[in-house]
Amino acid sequence: MAEPVKDKIEMNSLLVSPDDSSPINDPKTSLHLPSPGTSYGSTLSVGPEASTANLLKIDLEKKISRHTGEERETWGNRAEFLLSLIGYAVGLGNVWRFPYLTQKNGGGAFLIPYAVMLAIEGIPLFYLELAIGQRLRKGAVGAWNQVSPYLQGVGIASAAVSFNLALYYNTIMAWCVLYLVQSFQSPLPWSTCPTHVEGNLTIVNKECQISGPTTYFWYRETLNVAPSINSKSVLNWKLVLALLAAWVVVFLCMVKGIKSSGKVVYFTATFPYVVLVIFFFRGITLHGYQSGLEHLFIPEWKKLADPQVWLDAATQIFYSFGLAFGCLIALASYNPVRSNFVAEAFFVTIADFFTSIFTATVVFCVLGFKATATYEECLRDNNITMSTSDGNGTVTKCDFKTIISESASGTGLAFIAFTEAINQFPVPQLWSVLFFLMLFTLGLDSMFGTLEGALTSINDMMLFPTARKEVVCGIVCGTMFVISLCFATTTGSYVFAMFDSFSANIPLLIIAFIECVAMSYVYGLKRLSLDVEMMVGTRPSYFFMFCWRFVGPVAMVVIFTASIVEKISNGTWYEVWDSSKGFAVMSPWPGWCQVVAALMILSSILWIPGVAIAKYFRLISWKEEVASYFPEEELIEERSIEPHEDTVIEKYLLGFK
């Protein structure tokens, strides 16, 4: 096989530069063979049938390598990129938030608005961010600076939101570490209430008697929660150590950038699916599982008329895919220019959709088992055979729907409801280890993407120009660990709730709105269409362009307006642990917390107008950023792209000029 290739190259020797270090600039006369080891993105093979077109492709890869080999890493292969996207999109929200929203918003009926929002919001924005990253080959800060220097603040805002999210998201992983370590005990520490001896009597802890062992273990043993956010704050040293362990694991996995995290995702992105399948087959053998599935999937069609249902669907799509964090742009920036990111966008978003449904199925099999056991115990304790009503339609005792609804919300779903169900399993230690290891790997995957968005922006801005990437990663992780100690206190769960409620939602809506408007009206859909055609060989459909230019921005304005109206009309509340009642009650946020929440929101979005004003009036001397190399002429020739004649729709509706 080698000799014919050699002969072909010799026959074309007049077309090849004699000095490999000084290649001829004309792509038609620069036919160098690639170095050993084809990079990800190449579909080429050199053999006796090699054509001039194939040799042009080979030379294109060498040109890209010369220009960008030391500037930007690339994924080891397509599988690493795909698994990183799946790991980033499929996270802890799939385990507790989606099942809760589904049962809250009409069961199976909720899947209709969820699917609609997936089509008009989720897939188009996911597609757009991957296109931006792969075309401009920079993180969010550098990419938006390339679109327009006045938009660099959008990238900084995305990095700020990613930073805030990573701060409190890793706290969930710290909780998982605590539960995982204690899962090896027999019996499980949350299976019984603590006792103490007084004389000849063994006294059971009163608070635990009222709340139940799993709830007591969560609020008292794990969080050691204070009565309110206004209470004196004291460090919880168990949580401090767990938080340190979580940040060390994240640092070790990301210390080499995508070269290390790209390998870790082979385990972290696939292991949760293995555990979910195991739990599914275990779940459908549990007594009462069918009641949980009925509660989840039987539609309440009247819910479709409630605007809040559509708002919840849109919000869940938004956060589930991690849109507007800058993380997708950062992950795609490490792609070769010919990678078919469109296929990845469709695969990951649809996979996330069905993963959410499958996860909800598994969760409600377990919750159906737990609720059935509680329901039957209630019937026995009250010596009745069915739930009773007061005659006005209000259930007063043993209502199954009330029991299962109270089990499915927020962090309590994983750390209270699931642990209570696991207590009933044979060999509960095994199921506990599997479950919390699954939660940890889900969180770890999402942390890779979230933190990569912040780290890539720091590297692109050259905030530490002489420091190695390992050092920068260590500085960032160390700084974030110190700041996140505020979550490892007796009031830490309340601070966590504040971050979760305010740090991301409004900033992300604003950032995503600007993304759509900027790419449609500043960068231009005509230019974007050509970029996509050069990278993947086909232009984006009218559907996507209409979503970017019209549907997406309108949907985000509606979501933003509805969110503000909801907060103004209903106020802002958080859950406070009431030890005397044995459950959490709702309490309004204090005034100073609302001020902190406002500052948290402004700390992200003020970068957008701030940077634009500073650049317009030249208040700061900004170093001019060099655009990453993109072989536009070579790709046009390689794909034989002809000049495009604009249609009437493109001219008058999509703004082609």
Side-chain angles (χ1 to χ4, degrees):
M1 295 293 290
E3 285 302 316
V5 176
K6 181 178 179 182
D7 293 342
K8 181 177 279 287
I9 298 299
E10 288 176 351
M11 290 174 63
N12 291 280
S13 60
L14 293 177
L15 298 177
V16 182
S17 170
D19 180 8
D20 187 65
S21 64
S22 304
I24 299 174
N25 292 328
D26 186 352
K28 296 180 180 180
T29 60
S30 182
L31 309 179
H32 304 296
L33 288 174
S35 56
T38 306
S39 65
Y40 155 46
S42 173
T43 57
L44 309 177
S45 59
V46 181
E49 70 284 357
S51 63
T52 301
N54 275 352
L55 292 174
L56 281 169
K57 293 180 182 180
I58 294 170
D59 182 59
L60 172 59
E61 290 180 354
K62 284 205 71 179
K63 283 188 175 183
I64 296 172
S65 178
R66 288 192 192 100
H67 283 84
T68 64
E70 296 181 358
E71 295 176 11
R72 199 159 205 82
E73 300 171 283
T74 57
W75 296 101
N77 53 60
R78 190 171 184 177
E80 289 183 7
F81 175 59
L82 181 61
L83 289 174
S84 295
L85 289 179
I86 292 174
Y88 173 63
V90 179
L92 294 169
N94 297 76
V95 176
W96 61 51
R97 183 171 170 80
F98 179 81
Y100 165 63
L101 290 177
T102 304
Q103 68 87 23
K104 169 193 169 188
N105 292 309
F110 178 70
L111 299 180
I112 295 175
Y114 190 73
V116 171
M117 290 302 171
L118 171 74
I120 67 172
E121 182 183 72
I123 297 177
L125 281 173
F126 204 92
Y127 180 128
L128 180 64
E129 293 200 3
L130 293 186
I132 293 170
Q134 185 168 310
R135 168 59 181 89
L136 301 177
R137 305 183 65 75
K138 290 181 178 291
V141 175
W144 288 112
N145 186 57
Q146 290 295 113
V147 174
S148 170
Y150 300 114
L151 291 174
Q152 188 172 11
V154 177
I156 299 177
S158 293
V161 175
S162 295
F163 186 89
N164 288 336
L165 179 71
L167 277 176
Y168 76 89
Y169 203 90
N170 216 33
T171 304
I172 305 175
M173 294 171 60
W175 296 337
C176 292
V177 168
L178 277 178
Y179 272 81
L180 182 61
V181 170
Q182 295 175 96
S183 295
F184 293 94
Q185 298 181 32
S186 182
L188 291 173
W190 50 81
S191 61
T192 57
C193 287
T195 60
H196 65 277
V197 177
E198 291 184 5
N200 296 326
L201 298 177
T202 300
I203 307 298
V204 179
N205 182 281
K206 184 178 179 181
E207 184 179 350
C208 184
Q209 274 187 312
I210 299 172
S211 62
T214 54
T215 304
Y216 175 84
F217 186 86
W218 167 244
Y219 282 105
R220 189 57 61 206
E221 298 291 340
T222 302
L223 301 179
N224 190 22
V225 66
S228 76
I229 197 169
N230 286 320
S231 304
K232 182 180 179 181
S233 187
V234 179
L235 277 177
N236 182 339
W237 288 104
K238 287 194 302 183
L239 269 179
V240 170
L241 293 176
L243 198 59
L244 176 61
W247 277 111
V248 168
V249 171
V250 169
F251 168 73
L252 292 176
C253 291
M254 298 197 64
V255 66
K256 295 294 184 182
I258 62 169
K259 295 301 182 184
S260 56
S261 64
K263 301 297 184 292
V264 177
V265 292
Y266 282 107
F267 172 75
T268 57
T270 55
F271 177 74
Y273 286 96
V274 175
V275 176
L276 284 173
V277 170
I278 294 173
F279 264 87
F280 171 75
F281 284 107
R282 179 68 184 104
I284 59 177
T285 65
L286 297 172
H287 172 57
Y289 83 92
Q290 66 276 10
S291 298
L293 294 184
E294 288 172 5
H295 183 74
L296 174 65
F297 286 118
I298 292 180
E300 295 180 38
W301 298 113
K302 62 181 181 180
K303 287 280 190 178
L304 292 179
D306 185 356
Q308 185 63 40
V309 175
W310 293 83
L311 178 62
D312 283 345
T315 304
Q316 175 61 12
I317 284 288
F318 204 86
Y319 295 128
S320 180
F321 295 157
L323 304 172
F325 283 97
C327 308
L328 293 174
I329 295 176
L331 293 174
S333 71
Y334 300 112
N335 258 353
V337 293
R338 275 200 242 95
S339 175
N340 186 6
F341 65 87
V342 179
E344 273 104 350
F346 277 103
F347 181 84
V348 174
T349 50
I350 294 174
D352 183 87
F353 174 76
F354 284 105
T355 298
S356 294
I357 296 174
F358 180 63
T359 302
T361 302
V362 175
V363 167
F364 273 85
C365 282
V366 176
L367 291 180
F369 161 70
K370 172 188 175 294
T372 299
T374 305
Y375 175 70
E376 292 176 348
E377 182 181 356
C378 176
L379 294 178
R380 289 192 301 269
D381 292 345
N382 290 277
N383 196 26
I384 54 179
T385 57
M386 64 181 63
S387 60
T388 60
S389 173
D390 62 1
N392 297 317
T394 302
V395 174
T396 57
K397 292 182 180 178
C398 307
D399 179 42
F400 179 85
K401 187 172 183 179
T402 300
I403 292 171
I404 195 170
S405 297
E406 291 176 350
S407 301
S409 63
T411 52
L413 180 60
F415 295 102
I416 298 176
F418 248 94
T419 51
E420 189 168 330
I422 288 171
N423 286 338
Q424 312 303 320
F425 288 6
V427 196
Q429 291 78 12
L430 172 63
W431 299 104
S432 184
V433 168
L434 285 175
F435 180 71
F436 288 108
L437 188 57
M438 177 193 74
L439 286 186
F440 186 81
T441 53
L442 281 172
L444 195 60
D445 268 342
S446 298
M447 277 296 294
F448 290 160
T450 303
L451 203 55
E452 189 63 53
L455 287 173
T456 303
S457 296
I458 290 173
N459 290 328
D460 286 349
M461 293 173 67
M462 300 186 70
L463 297 181
F464 305 98
T466 60
R468 297 173 58 184
K469 289 184 178 180
E470 296 91 334
V471 176
V472 174
C473 184
I475 292 172
V476 172
C477 288
T479 302
M480 296 179 84
F481 163 70
V482 173
I483 297 174
S484 63
L485 288 177
C486 65
F487 304 117
T489 65
T490 51
T491 58
S493 61
Y494 304 136
V495 179
F496 176 93
M498 191 188 333
F499 268 76
D500 188 39
S501 299
F502 301 108
S503 68
N505 50 8
I506 292 178
L508 288 179
L509 286 172
I510 294 173
I511 292 168
F513 174 82
I514 295 175
E515 280 187 3
C516 289
V517 171
M519 295 307 293
S520 298
Y521 298 92
V522 179
Y523 193 83
L525 291 179
K526 181 174 184 177
R527 183 178 173 188
L528 178 62
S529 297
L530 177 60
D531 290 342
V532 172
E533 186 177 11
M534 287 188 287
M535 291 186 286
V536 302
T538 56
R539 300 166 68 85
S541 67
Y542 284 163
F543 171 78
F544 285 114
M545 288 191 278
F546 270 99
C547 285
W548 296 330
R549 190 173 177 87
F550 302 113
V551 181
V554 170
M556 279 171 263
V557 169
V558 171
I559 294 170
F560 176 81
T561 304
S563 299
I564 298 298
V565 170
E566 192 271 336
K567 290 185 185 301
I568 293 175
S569 59
N570 297 327
T572 54
W573 301 72
Y574 74 114
E575 286 189 348
V576 174
W577 174 246
D578 190 327
S579 59
S580 63
K581 296 179 180 178
F583 56 83
V585 297
M586 299 305 295
S587 176
W589 286 106
W592 69 268
C593 288
Q594 296 186 35
V595 172
V596 171
L599 293 176
M600 199 181 300
I601 295 170
L602 293 175
S603 69
S604 299
I605 62 176
L606 283 182
W607 288 104
I608 300 173
V611 171
I613 292 170
K615 286 198 169 187
Y616 182 81
F617 291 104
R618 302 183 184 275
L619 302 178
I620 301 176
S621 177
W622 297 83
K623 182 180 179 181
E624 186 174 349
E625 189 170 347
V626 179
S628 294
Y629 175 69
F630 185 79
E632 185 171 334
E633 294 181 3
E634 290 86 345
L635 285 172
I636 289 175
E637 181 172 2
E638 175 190 311
R639 298 191 184 278
S640 301
I641 298 174
E642 300 293 335
H644 177 73
E645 184 174 346
D646 301 339
T647 65
V648 173
I649 292 177
E650 291 170 343
K651 286 181 180 178
Y652 296 104
L653 289 179
L654 298 177
F656 281 30
K657 296 178 180 179

PDB file of all heavy atoms in Angstrom, residues 12-26:
ATOM      1  N   ASN A  12       3.353  14.228  -8.264  1.00  0.00           N
ATOM      2  CA  ASN A  12       2.879  15.595  -8.016  1.00  0.00           C
ATOM      3  C   ASN A  12       3.936  16.444  -7.325  1.00  0.00           C
ATOM      4  O   ASN A  12       3.611  17.433  -6.693  1.00  0.00           O
ATOM      5  CB  ASN A  12       1.618  15.559  -7.155  1.00  0.00           C
ATOM      6  CG  ASN A  12       0.436  14.978  -7.906  1.00  0.00           C
ATOM      7  OD1 ASN A  12      -0.189  15.671  -8.679  1.00  0.00           O
ATOM      8  ND2 ASN A  12       0.156  13.704  -7.668  1.00  0.00           N
ATOM      9  N   SER A  13       5.199  16.056  -7.434  1.00  0.00           N
ATOM     10  CA  SER A  13       6.250  16.751  -6.677  1.00  0.00           C
ATOM     11  C   SER A  13       6.364  18.208  -7.056  1.00  0.00           C
ATOM     12  O   SER A  13       6.794  19.029  -6.262  1.00  0.00           O
ATOM     13  CB  SER A  13       7.593  16.043  -6.894  1.00  0.00           C
ATOM     14  OG  SER A  13       7.924  16.045  -8.282  1.00  0.00           O
ATOM     15  N   LEU A  14       5.996  18.533  -8.300  1.00  0.00           N
ATOM     16  CA  LEU A  14       6.092  19.932  -8.702  1.00  0.00           C
ATOM     17  C   LEU A  14       5.067  20.790  -7.985  1.00  0.00           C
ATOM     18  O   LEU A  14       5.207  22.014  -7.939  1.00  0.00           O
ATOM     19  CB  LEU A  14       5.888  20.041 -10.225  1.00  0.00           C
ATOM     20  CG  LEU A  14       6.995  19.423 -11.087  1.00  0.00           C
ATOM     21  CD1 LEU A  14       6.619  19.530 -12.558  1.00  0.00           C
ATOM     22  CD2 LEU A  14       8.338  20.095 -10.822  1.00  0.00           C
ATOM     23  N   LEU A  15       4.022  20.138  -7.434  1.00  0.00           N
ATOM     24  CA  LEU A  15       2.991  20.897  -6.742  1.00  0.00           C
ATOM     25  C   LEU A  15       3.267  21.063  -5.267  1.00  0.00           C
ATOM     26  O   LEU A  15       2.512  21.723  -4.576  1.00  0.00           O
ATOM     27  CB  LEU A  15       1.634  20.204  -6.918  1.00  0.00           C
ATOM     28  CG  LEU A  15       1.120  20.085  -8.348  1.00  0.00           C
ATOM     29  CD1 LEU A  15      -0.192  19.316  -8.355  1.00  0.00           C
ATOM     30  CD2 LEU A  15       0.949  21.448  -8.976  1.00  0.00           C
ATOM     31  N   VAL A  16       4.326  20.440  -4.754  1.00  0.00           N
ATOM     32  CA  VAL A  16       4.581  20.429  -3.326  1.00  0.00           C
ATOM     33  C   VAL A  16       5.793  21.277  -2.999  1.00  0.00           C
ATOM     34  O   VAL A  16       6.806  21.219  -3.673  1.00  0.00           O
ATOM     35  CB  VAL A  16       4.807  18.976  -2.832  1.00  0.00           C
ATOM     36  CG1 VAL A  16       5.030  18.962  -1.349  1.00  0.00           C
ATOM     37  CG2 VAL A  16       3.631  18.105  -3.222  1.00  0.00           C
ATOM     38  N   SER A  17       5.675  22.068  -1.978  1.00  0.00           N
ATOM     39  CA  SER A  17       6.784  22.894  -1.541  1.00  0.00           C
ATOM     40  C   SER A  17       7.936  22.011  -1.104  1.00  0.00           C
ATOM     41  O   SER A  17       7.750  21.075  -0.341  1.00  0.00           O
ATOM     42  CB  SER A  17       6.347  23.776  -0.377  1.00  0.00           C
ATOM     43  OG  SER A  17       7.457  24.411   0.191  1.00  0.00           O
ATOM     44  N   PRO A  18       9.165  22.242  -1.560  1.00  0.00           N
ATOM     45  CA  PRO A  18      10.297  21.414  -1.157  1.00  0.00           C
ATOM     46  C   PRO A  18      10.642  21.584   0.303  1.00  0.00           C
ATOM     47  O   PRO A  18      11.287  20.749   0.890  1.00  0.00           O
ATOM     48  CB  PRO A  18      11.431  21.913  -2.060  1.00  0.00           C
ATOM     49  CG  PRO A  18      11.037  23.323  -2.400  1.00  0.00           C
ATOM     50  CD  PRO A  18       9.559  23.322  -2.470  1.00  0.00           C
ATOM     51  N   ASP A  19      10.209  22.684   0.913  1.00  0.00           N
ATOM     52  CA  ASP A  19      10.540  22.941   2.313  1.00  0.00           C
ATOM     53  C   ASP A  19       9.267  22.880   3.137  1.00  0.00           C
ATOM     54  O   ASP A  19       8.420  23.748   3.052  1.00  0.00           O
ATOM     55  CB  ASP A  19      11.177  24.332   2.440  1.00  0.00           C
ATOM     56  CG  ASP A  19      11.544  24.641   3.887  1.00  0.00           C
ATOM     57  OD1 ASP A  19      11.431  23.710   4.725  1.00  0.00           O
ATOM     58  OD2 ASP A  19      11.933  25.788   4.147  1.00  0.00           O
ATOM     59  N   ASP A  20       9.108  21.816   3.947  1.00  0.00           N
ATOM     60  CA  ASP A  20       7.867  21.638   4.711  1.00  0.00           C
ATOM     61  C   ASP A  20       7.643  22.762   5.700  1.00  0.00           C
ATOM     62  O   ASP A  20       6.529  23.035   6.088  1.00  0.00           O
ATOM     63  CB  ASP A  20       7.907  20.291   5.449  1.00  0.00           C
ATOM     64  CG  ASP A  20       6.597  19.979   6.107  1.00  0.00           C
ATOM     65  OD1 ASP A  20       5.609  19.788   5.377  1.00  0.00           O
ATOM     66  OD2 ASP A  20       6.562  19.948   7.349  1.00  0.00           O
ATOM     67  N   SER A  21       8.711  23.409   6.127  1.00  0.00           N
ATOM     68  CA  SER A  21       8.550  24.489   7.105  1.00  0.00           C
ATOM     69  C   SER A  21       8.061  25.769   6.465  1.00  0.00           C
ATOM     70  O   SER A  21       7.669  26.694   7.130  1.00  0.00           O
ATOM     71  CB  SER A  21       9.885  24.752   7.836  1.00  0.00           C
ATOM     72  OG  SER A  21      10.845  25.209   6.909  1.00  0.00           O
ATOM     73  N   SER A  22       8.091  25.836   5.122  1.00  0.00           N
ATOM     74  CA  SER A  22       7.612  27.036   4.429  1.00  0.00           C
ATOM     75  C   SER A  22       6.598  26.608   3.380  1.00  0.00           C
ATOM     76  O   SER A  22       6.878  26.594   2.194  1.00  0.00           O
ATOM     77  CB  SER A  22       8.779  27.790   3.774  1.00  0.00           C
ATOM     78  OG  SER A  22       9.756  28.115   4.719  1.00  0.00           O
ATOM     79  N   PRO A  23       5.428  26.228   3.793  1.00  0.00           N
ATOM     80  CA  PRO A  23       4.432  25.711   2.862  1.00  0.00           C
ATOM     81  C   PRO A  23       3.971  26.777   1.891  1.00  0.00           C
ATOM     82  O   PRO A  23       3.923  27.949   2.188  1.00  0.00           O
ATOM     83  CB  PRO A  23       3.281  25.277   3.773  1.00  0.00           C
ATOM     84  CG  PRO A  23       3.425  26.131   4.975  1.00  0.00           C
ATOM     85  CD  PRO A  23       4.885  26.360   5.148  1.00  0.00           C
ATOM     86  N   ILE A  24       3.630  26.296   0.707  1.00  0.00           N
ATOM     87  CA  ILE A  24       3.049  27.193  -0.279  1.00  0.00           C
ATOM     88  C   ILE A  24       1.657  27.578   0.180  1.00  0.00           C
ATOM     89  O   ILE A  24       0.888  26.751   0.635  1.00  0.00           O
ATOM     90  CB  ILE A  24       3.008  26.492  -1.657  1.00  0.00           C
ATOM     91  CG1 ILE A  24       4.444  26.136  -2.094  1.00  0.00           C
ATOM     92  CG2 ILE A  24       2.331  27.340  -2.702  1.00  0.00           C
ATOM     93  CD1 ILE A  24       4.509  25.328  -3.354  1.00  0.00           C
ATOM     94  N   ASN A  25       1.317  28.839   0.095  1.00  0.00           N
ATOM     95  CA  ASN A  25       0.058  29.317   0.645  1.00  0.00           C
ATOM     96  C   ASN A  25      -1.151  28.845  -0.149  1.00  0.00           C
ATOM     97  O   ASN A  25      -2.233  28.693   0.390  1.00  0.00           O
ATOM     98  CB  ASN A  25       0.044  30.845   0.721  1.00  0.00           C
ATOM     99  CG  ASN A  25       1.025  31.359   1.759  1.00  0.00           C
ATOM    100  OD1 ASN A  25       1.253  30.702   2.761  1.00  0.00           O
ATOM    101  ND2 ASN A  25       1.592  32.522   1.490  1.00  0.00           N
ATOM    102  N   ASP A  26      -0.989  28.651  -1.460  1.00  0.00           N
ATOM    103  CA  ASP A  26      -2.122  28.249  -2.278  1.00  0.00           C
ATOM    104  C   ASP A  26      -2.540  26.835  -1.886  1.00  0.00           C
ATOM    105  O   ASP A  26      -1.758  25.899  -1.987  1.00  0.00           O
ATOM    106  CB  ASP A  26      -1.724  28.293  -3.745  1.00  0.00           C
ATOM    107  CG  ASP A  26      -2.914  28.025  -4.660  1.00  0.00           C
ATOM    108  OD1 ASP A  26      -4.000  27.651  -4.170  1.00  0.00           O
ATOM    109  OD2 ASP A  26      -2.748  28.173  -5.882  1.00  0.00           O
TER     110      ASP A  26
END
